Structure formats: structure tokens, C-alpha cells
Amino acid sequence: MDALLRFSRAVDGLNAWVGKYAIWLIMGSTVISAVNALVRYTFNTSSNGFLEIQWYLFAWSFLIAAGFTLLNREHVRIDVINSRLPKRVQIWIDIVGFAFFLTPVCLLVLFYGVPVLMEKYASGEMSGNPGGLIRWPVWLAIPAGFVLLMLQGWSELIKRVAFLNGRGPDPTLKAGEKSAEEELAEILRQREAAKAAPASH
């Protein structure tokens, strides 16, 4: 279990690092968009390459940040029913989801996506638009993003198994978020402090 937890921490660190710098891809896309608009309206000229690099960068930022999103529990969830269930049931639902849904979907995308990437790399396929870009760099974002997402799914799976075995903290809480027990303890401490304050005067 210790080796798995070390693997989990390494994956968390990798996706945290990727997420930290993925924002620069959006920044680059924004700057290119602004420069392209300025050149187009000032000099009445433009290039499809400028337009395509924008969605290349956006695709990269969206795909490679998927693992970071999962790490920080910012992905879309429907918690209306799940939040009412006991904690161990919630954990088991996550385990089933990561093992039997997320992992197979990621493997399926890689199974079909990698050959397409290799084909586009080998052929040197270019955009059909005049002045467009070579295609394989944007297709590379698909396997890169889904590998990071799958690894993070495995990390989350390990953390949940560790929690069930008493080897780790509650993995369903976001960073800095307090559990219900911690919130109750904090409320009780505040009440005790409030009662003690008048007595001290």
C-alpha cells in the first residue's frame, strides 16, 4: 500500500504542476487572438494560422487540465443523492466509477486516438485552410490529456482504498475543506470561547 500511496502522491504532484502552467496556454491563446484582431483591423490582413493556433492552445489547455480538475474535485458532479449517502457508500461509488467507467473510457480513447495521431504524424497532414497549420500537434493533446486523466483516476482510486483501510484522510474533501466532524468541533470551540470570555471580565 505504501508504494501505491507514493505513486498517488507523484501523480497528484504531476497534475498539480500541469494545472499550474496550463493557464499560460489560455493566456497565449488570448494574446494571439488580440494581436490577430489588431493586425486584421489595422493592416487589413490576417492568417488562418493565427486562428488555428488559438484553438490548438485552447484544446491543449482543456485536455491536459482534466486531471488537475479531477485532483481538485472541480469536475461536474450530481451530488443530490450521493451527498445524502453514508461516507463509505460514497467512497465505494467513487471506486466503482474510477475502476469500471473512467479507466475503460480513457483506455478506449487511447486505443482509437493514438493510431490516428501516428497516422497524422507520419503523413504530415496539414490543415485544409490556406496558411493553416500541421495537424498532429493538436491531436497529440488527446492522448496526453487522457493519460493524465486516467493516472489521476488511479490516484483517486488508491486514496479511496487507503481511506477505507484507515491509511489516509477523507479523499472526498477539497483541499482546505473541513469535514462535518471538524466543523462541529470548531463550532463547539467557538461556543466554549464565547462562554469563557464573559467569565474572564
Side-chain angles (χ1 to χ4, degrees):
M1 194 69 202
D2 290 337
L4 290 174
L5 287 170
R6 285 195 296 271
F7 170 78
S8 175
R9 287 191 291 270
V11 171
D12 289 355
L14 172 62
N15 272 312
W17 182 85
V18 170
K20 179 181 178 181
Y21 291 102
I23 189 67
W24 289 103
L25 298 174
I26 298 176
M27 179 67 177
S29 179
T30 304
V31 169
I32 291 170
S33 176
V35 170
N36 186 40
L38 181 65
V39 169
R40 184 169 65 250
Y41 287 111
T42 304
F43 302 104
N44 196 30
T45 184
S46 184
S47 168
N48 285 320
F50 284 119
L51 298 175
E52 292 185 3
I53 194 63
Q54 291 173 52
W55 66 263
Y56 275 34
L57 293 175
F58 179 78
W60 266 94
S61 65
F62 176 81
L63 286 165
I64 68 171
F68 174 76
T69 304
L70 181 58
L71 169 64
N72 289 280
R73 295 183 51 78
E74 296 292 345
H75 54 295
V76 176
R77 294 176 61 93
I78 303 175
D79 286 334
V80 176
I81 298 175
N82 191 55
S83 60
R84 300 175 186 273
L85 298 173
K87 178 64 67 175
R88 291 183 70 87
V89 175
Q90 293 180 33
I91 295 292
W92 273 109
I93 289 173
D94 284 348
I95 288 174
V96 171
F98 291 134
F100 299 106
F101 291 93
L102 179 65
T103 297
V105 166
C106 290
L107 290 173
L108 196 63
V109 171
L110 292 171
F111 179 78
Y112 287 106
V114 170
V116 174
L117 167 65
M118 300 305 295
E119 177 187 333
K120 292 185 180 298
Y121 177 80
S123 66
E125 179 181 334
M126 300 290 295
S127 167
N129 299 315
L133 304 176
I134 193 167
R135 286 295 194 212
W136 71 262
V138 73
W139 279 88
L140 178 60
I142 296 175
F146 275 88
V147 164
L148 290 171
L149 178 59
M150 182 170 63
L151 289 175
Q152 191 59 48
W154 292 348
S155 173
E156 298 302 318
L157 176 63
I158 291 167
K159 286 184 277 189
R160 280 152 179 78
V161 172
F163 174 75
L164 291 177
N165 287 281
R167 299 287 302 276
D170 185 351
T172 64
L173 298 177
K174 294 181 181 179
E177 184 180 3
K178 294 179 180 179
S179 66
E181 293 79 7
E182 290 172 331
E183 289 180 355
L184 177 59
E186 181 64 27
I187 291 171
L188 294 175
R189 278 195 299 269
Q190 290 174 358
R191 287 181 180 175
E192 289 297 323
K195 289 178 181 178
S200 63
H201 290 298

